[in-house]
Amino acid sequence: AQKVTQAQTEISVVEKEDVTLDCVYETRDTTYYLFWYKQPPSGELVFLIRRNSFDEQNEISGRYSWNFQKSTSSFNFTITASQVVDSAVYFCALPHRDDKIIFGKGTRLHILP
Amino acid sequence: NAGVTQTPKFQVLKTGQSMTLQCAQDMNHEYMSWYRQDPGMGLRLIHYSVGAGITDQGEVPNGYNVSRSTTEDFPLRLLSAAPSQTSVYFCASSYSGRTGAAYGYTFGSGTRLTVV
């Protein structure tokens, strides 16, 4: 069965601190993709990153970085030097071969000034 | 602008009323889907379609109907609204199958529905 677990329901950190959001997934597919989406207070879903299971290299985009570890079925997201604008709900997602996207329940991140 | 258009953005219904949430995309995507978002529950799949004339149930289909008569449109019908259907609804589209997973999904801006 496909499953995405985001164990952290809510996290609060002070601005400029680093923070890591955890994502653990289950899949029977041998190849697959993983996504992270951001949902700011305005409510829209913003695509952040897509990762192919073939590529286990970590990815960095500015203050954002992603650690994909196939051995532990994890795809964690780190924000370095957090800013108030990073406050949002973050979703990890796993597309299934029959076109369904399975979402985690999300982690609400509060960046305190 | 190209993308997924959802209407209306906000709606208040009385229990028992019916309505249709509209979703249209102009990217020629085969795949379209409806999700509902509730606090603490993430996004849950209601119905999806892999092409015109083809629909299937997701995780929480009860109380909702869909049809896909054209590639562009995928309306979601609430047959008899209940307070439990108070939620934010998102429509998404993509290319189908592995291509869709590879290229990602486009979401509409959401419809906030309140049933009183």
Side-chain angles (χ1 to χ4, degrees):
Chain A
Q2 307 284 108
K3 187 177 180 181
V4 176
T5 302
Q6 294 180 256
Q8 303 150 308
T9 304
E10 203 158 344
I11 300 174
S12 294
V13 300
V14 176
E15 196 173 19
K16 297 184 184 177
E17 287 185 351
D18 299 346
V19 58
T20 295
L21 310 183
D22 298 332
C23 172
V24 174
Y25 62 92
E26 296 176 27
T27 180
R28 293 182 180 176
D29 294 342
T30 53
T31 62
Y32 49 90
Y33 289 87
L34 290 159
F35 294 82
W36 275 94
Y37 284 88
K38 174 183 179 179
Q39 187 177 43
S42 53
E44 72 273 23
L45 286 159
V46 179
F47 168 80
L48 293 178
I49 190 173
R50 170 182 58 247
R51 172 50 52 90
N52 186 317
S53 59
F54 287 136
D55 183 4
E56 293 197 59
Q57 286 193 351
N58 291 336
E59 183 152 346
I60 299 174
S61 176
R63 297 183 296 106
Y64 295 172
S65 63
W66 289 269
N67 182 358
F68 176 43
Q69 292 197 343
K70 212 168 178 179
S71 61
T72 56
S73 297
S74 65
F75 186 40
N76 297 337
F77 172 33
T78 297
I79 301 175
T80 303
S82 59
Q83 300 177 1
V84 173
V85 294
D86 296 326
S87 296
V89 181
Y90 291 86
F91 291 98
C92 184
L94 173 66
H96 191 34
R97 74 170 82 89
D98 60 355
D99 298 303
K100 299 175 186 176
I101 317 167
I102 308 300
F103 284 86
K105 293 187 177 181
T107 297
R108 184 175 296 275
L109 178 63
H110 301 277
I111 308 297
L112 308 173
Chain B
N1 290 337
V4 177
T5 302
Q6 284 185 242
T7 56
K9 291 190 183 302
F10 301 95
Q11 183 71 48
V12 179
L13 286 179
K14 293 183 179 179
T15 297
Q17 285 185 319
S18 62
M19 79 158 295
T20 299
L21 307 185
Q22 301 291 344
C23 176
Q25 53 89 12
D26 57 2
M27 297 169 284
N28 204 32
H29 283 169
E30 303 98 336
Y31 175 79
M32 296 184 74
S33 58
W34 278 102
Y35 286 83
R36 59 177 290 173
Q37 183 180 17
D38 303 293
M41 300 298 291
L43 288 100
R44 293 181 292 170
L45 182 64
I46 304 171
H47 286 285
Y48 67 102
S49 168
V50 297
I54 306 169
T55 63
D56 206 345
Q57 296 181 351
E59 182 184 356
V60 287
N62 292 339
Y64 307 95
N65 271 359
V66 292
S67 60
R68 185 95 180 269
S69 56
T70 67
T71 299
E72 295 78 19
D73 299 299
F74 191 44
L76 179 71
R77 297 183 187 85
L78 281 70
L79 307 174
S80 177
S84 61
Q85 294 178 303
T86 293
S87 188
V88 179
Y89 292 84
F90 286 97
C91 180
S93 76
S94 76
Y95 295 109
S96 195
R98 301 297 295 174
T99 306
Y103 284 89
Y105 303 84
T106 304
F107 284 86
S109 57
T111 296
R112 185 174 294 275
L113 175 68
T114 302
V115 183
V116 298

